[in-house]
Amino acid sequence: MTDNRASSDAAATTQAEVTEEIQQIAKAYEGGRDGGPTDGVETQPRLDYPPYRSSVLRHPTKDLHHADPEGIELWSPVFGQADVDPLEADLTIQRRGEPVGERMVVTGRVLDGEGRPVRHQLVEIWQANAGGRYIHKRDQHPAAIDPNFTGVGRCLTDGDGGYRFTTIKPGPYPWKNHRNAWRPAHIHFSLFGREFTQRMVTQMYFPGDPLFALDPIFQAVVDPAARARLVATYDHDVTQHEWCTGYRWDIVLTGSHRTLMEEEVEA
Amino acid sequence: MSRTPGDSAVSRAATPGQTVGPFYGFALPYAGDHLLVPASHPDAVRLHGRVLDGAGDPVPDALLELWQADPAGRVPRATGSLRRDGYTFTGWGRCATDNEGRFSFTTLRPGAASDGAAPYFALTVFARGLLNRLFTRAYLPGEPSVLDADPLLSSVAPARRGTLVTRPDEHGFAFDVRLQGADETVFLAYPRH
């Protein structure tokens, strides 16, 4: 395939060059931590992570301003049974036929920074199909669209903070960050906690993916232990006989600022 | 209810965030997401603007979420933001930007949550290329004395304070989100986050 784009085009960069950039940043992070205070661990992705080319013009350059949450920020919007049908947690029954691919259950708990279950809160997911294709007009990857799979699901956490989706294992897919860039298979998660400040969007990955080291979005979480928290665990007890494989993934939101009322903690 | 030993009072490190990517567009937006009240509501106001990158170009694949008090300053506790009944004010909305980076919410004017605080819309910003969500506030335009007395606004350098204040217009309020640059929006971090 001929590439006529200018060499300055990000998509003309090779994987080797991007991998080198990723490794340099990782080395600098590890070096900076040698003998340094252990609380220098970076628990979140870097907003400024040049190997992910789209981040270059889209990250704030000034420090985030510290604010004491007040008023509306101490609460989260409320979603209830009227908002979410329980059937929305099964992504394999949304169309007339069976979707193609490895049927799987992904389940786990949503906790806050103090280890308390985050109960009755909205969890939304979206993902590619088994061939790595999204149902989205901008996804022009020439893999088959599965007419029986939209890749979108919702549920509310239960009284123990638990969530559970039945879905199809997504495939990896190419993207245009650089030449031959492929995203590791992942499921996008959107989560609400009890407070506005706990809002999070993240991605769940699958254990042992060979694309991990090559992917600038996954690697933007520079701390290896923090990065590992994005990877689900295969759980044979979740796997079901003659039916599906099972993965477990717990999600920890940040701590809450408000003193929780009894009914919120124990309801 | 079963409880795993060690769950209580044990500090846990938060799961890292990741970008929403380019393909949230068929998952997160939904019909009526940006209409907290119908446009025909007698008190409907509009909060609208653009999301811009460091080159001043529009960000067509951003998503904003709005969370606000009601006109009396109360925090809504009603469900129904995903399936609106047209009557209940839930205080929450979501809007994806269009090809020009524009967003628009149809809502009610928020009231001040407490004495001495100026009323504001709380906003969360997501985008392709933005590796974690950002928080900010869009304050209603007001008397300088009111804005200057607000605990947050008064803690922001005067030169940047304006990035947190909406401009009044014909239908309500205009507010641009600038992700980067000289006039970058002030984004917020909260203690323990």
Side-chain angles (χ1 to χ4, degrees), chain A residues 43-44 200 202-203 226 229-230 249-253, chain B residues 13-17:
Chain A
T43 62
Q44 293 294 327
M200 180 163 69
T202 188
Q203 298 173 25
R229 293 199 291 275
L230 294 176
W249 189 50
D250 290 341
I251 301 153
V252 180
L253 307 180
Chain B
T15 304

Side-chain angles (χ1 to χ4, degrees), chain A residues 100-104 127-131 167-171 185 206 245 247:
Chain A
V100 172
E102 175 187 334
R103 190 186 293 106
M104 55 172 266
Q127 62 169 96
N129 68 23
T167 185
I168 296 293
K169 190 173 184 181
F206 293 88
T245 55
Y247 290 85

Side-chain angles (χ1 to χ4, degrees), chain A:
Chain A
M1 194 163 83
T2 310
D3 192 331
N4 295 320
R5 287 167 293 204
S7 60
S8 62
D9 190 317
T13 309
T14 64
Q15 177 71 59
E17 289 166 319
V18 168
T19 301
E20 173 67 17
E21 292 175 39
I22 288 171
Q23 289 172 350
Q24 289 296 333
I25 294 169
K27 260 185 225 155
Y29 174 71
E30 284 306 317
R33 286 177 40 72
D34 269 354
T38 52
D39 61 2
V41 172
E42 295 185 22
T43 62
Q44 293 294 327
R46 287 196 181 174
L47 297 178
D48 179 10
Y49 193 75
Y52 177 26
R53 299 295 190 242
S54 299
S55 77
V56 172
L57 286 172
R58 294 184 173 192
H59 70 270
T61 55
K62 298 176 169 58
D63 288 341
L64 302 185
H65 186 85
H66 284 263
D68 284 326
E70 54 174 307
I72 197 86
E73 291 161 330
L74 293 171
W75 301 84
S76 179
V78 184
F79 301 97
Q81 299 298 338
D83 291 296
V84 184
D85 191 300
L87 294 178
E88 291 182 77
D90 189 343
L91 286 71
T92 67
I93 58 169
Q94 293 171 348
R95 299 291 174 96
R96 197 172 292 180
E98 295 279 339
V100 172
E102 175 187 334
R103 190 186 293 106
M104 55 172 266
V105 161
V106 53
T107 187
R109 293 175 75 206
V110 184
L111 305 168
D112 72 9
E114 282 79 45
R116 296 177 295 214
V118 175
R119 311 176 196 278
H120 314 305
Q121 302 296 334
L122 180 65
V123 180
E124 296 165 284
I125 65 168
W126 68 102
Q127 62 169 96
N129 68 23
R133 176 86 186 254
Y134 286 89
I135 291 192
H136 189 288
K137 63 188 176 202
R138 290 217 174 94
D139 187 357
Q140 295 297 312
H141 169 209
I145 286 175
D146 183 342
N148 293 319
F149 190 72
T150 63
V152 176
R154 285 197 178 109
C155 74
L156 298 175
T157 56
D158 65 19
D160 204 26
Y163 73 87
R164 183 184 183 90
F165 291 102
T166 302
T167 185
I168 296 293
K169 190 173 184 181
Y173 58 84
W175 59 309
K176 293 176 178 167
N177 190 67
H178 54 273
R179 296 254 334 140
N180 209 13
W182 288 75
R183 294 283 348 261
H186 61 275
I187 299 177
H188 295 266
F189 273 72
S190 156
L191 303 133
F192 290 82
R194 298 181 202 88
E195 298 177 13
F196 175 76
T197 56
Q198 293 178 302
R199 180 81 175 94
M200 180 163 69
V201 166
T202 188
Q203 298 173 25
M204 185 206 93
Y205 297 87
F206 293 88
D209 196 312
L211 295 168
F212 282 159
L214 309 177
D215 179 46
I217 293 180
F218 183 64
Q219 295 291 331
V221 182
V222 296
D223 185 77
R227 206 158 55 226
R229 293 199 291 275
L230 294 176
V231 183
T233 305
Y234 172 74
D235 188 333
H236 203 62
D237 291 330
V238 176
T239 292
Q240 294 170 37
H241 178 67
E242 299 277 329
W243 182 245
C244 69
T245 55
Y247 290 85
R248 189 172 287 282
W249 189 50
D250 290 341
I251 301 153
V252 180
L253 307 180
T254 54
S256 64
H257 304 84
R258 194 158 45 89
T259 304
L260 298 178
M261 289 183 291
E262 191 69 7
E263 66 264 29
E264 290 179 274
V265 177
E266 295 301 331

